[in-house]
Amino acid sequence: MSVNYYAFGPFPGGEADGEGLHIGQYAHGHRFLMRAHPEKGLTTLVDWMAFLRQSHVVIRAEHGVQYSADEMEATIRERETADGWRRKVRWVHGYERPGYHIDREGIEFCARDFC
């Protein structure tokens, strides 16, 4: 099972009647995979959190539940499941390809469309 998260607000891609700006995806048993948007300067967790903490940004999962920036950050940083199992990395052999990287905090990013 996976859940995609999106940002909505007065910015390109964040229109309320659209899909929203893709933040990333949680997939059971794996670490959160962030969506990098280099053209918007969103390529690290620090960049993303500064963006998501703006008062006009709304964070919503694909199933319609709204989250605070703190809740989103906790989800992104989670390294163990509720049962105490370590979450697996998402792209073990993908980082040598263009569009994939790990930021300074160890957060995995993909600059390609995914869902």
Side-chain angles (χ1 to χ4, degrees), residues 40-60:
K40 296 181 185 328
L42 299 171
T43 59
T44 68
L45 182 58
V46 170
D47 298 333
W48 260 111
M49 292 316 302
F51 177 80
L52 294 174
R53 291 188 192 288
Q54 296 177 88
S55 62
H56 63 272
V57 175
V58 175
I59 302 166
R60 195 173 305 129

Side-chain angles (χ1 to χ4, degrees), residues 5 7 12 18 24 33 37 40 44 47 52-53 57 60-63 67 72 75 84 88 95-96 99 109:
Y5 294 82
L33 179 62
H37 295 277
K40 296 181 185 328
T44 68
D47 298 333
L52 294 174
R53 291 188 192 288
V57 175
R60 195 173 305 129
E62 63 188 335
H63 54 278
Y67 293 86
M72 186 78 259
T75 298
K88 299 178 223 165
Y95 302 116
E96 65 274 4
F109 279 83

Side-chain angles (χ1 to χ4, degrees), residues 3-98:
V3 179
N4 287 282
Y5 294 82
Y6 300 90
F8 295 89
F11 46 84
E15 297 82 9
D17 61 348
E19 186 175 273
L21 183 64
H22 194 202
I23 299 169
Q25 182 186 69
Y26 164 85
H28 180 68
H30 292 87
R31 292 183 183 178
F32 195 91
L33 179 62
M34 296 289 298
R35 173 63 162 89
H37 295 277
E39 72 285 356
K40 296 181 185 328
L42 299 171
T43 59
T44 68
L45 182 58
V46 170
D47 298 333
W48 260 111
M49 292 316 302
F51 177 80
L52 294 174
R53 291 188 192 288
Q54 296 177 88
S55 62
H56 63 272
V57 175
V58 175
I59 302 166
R60 195 173 305 129
E62 63 188 335
H63 54 278
V65 176
Q66 190 168 312
Y67 293 86
S68 70
D70 289 342
E71 290 170 322
M72 186 78 259
E73 184 173 9
T75 298
I76 294 165
R77 291 182 178 279
E78 191 174 82
R79 292 292 182 254
E80 291 184 356
T81 67
D83 298 330
W85 293 94
R86 292 197 52 80
R87 292 192 178 283
K88 299 178 223 165
V89 294
R90 294 286 296 266
W91 301 106
V92 178
H93 300 290
Y95 302 116
E96 65 274 4
R97 294 192 312 244

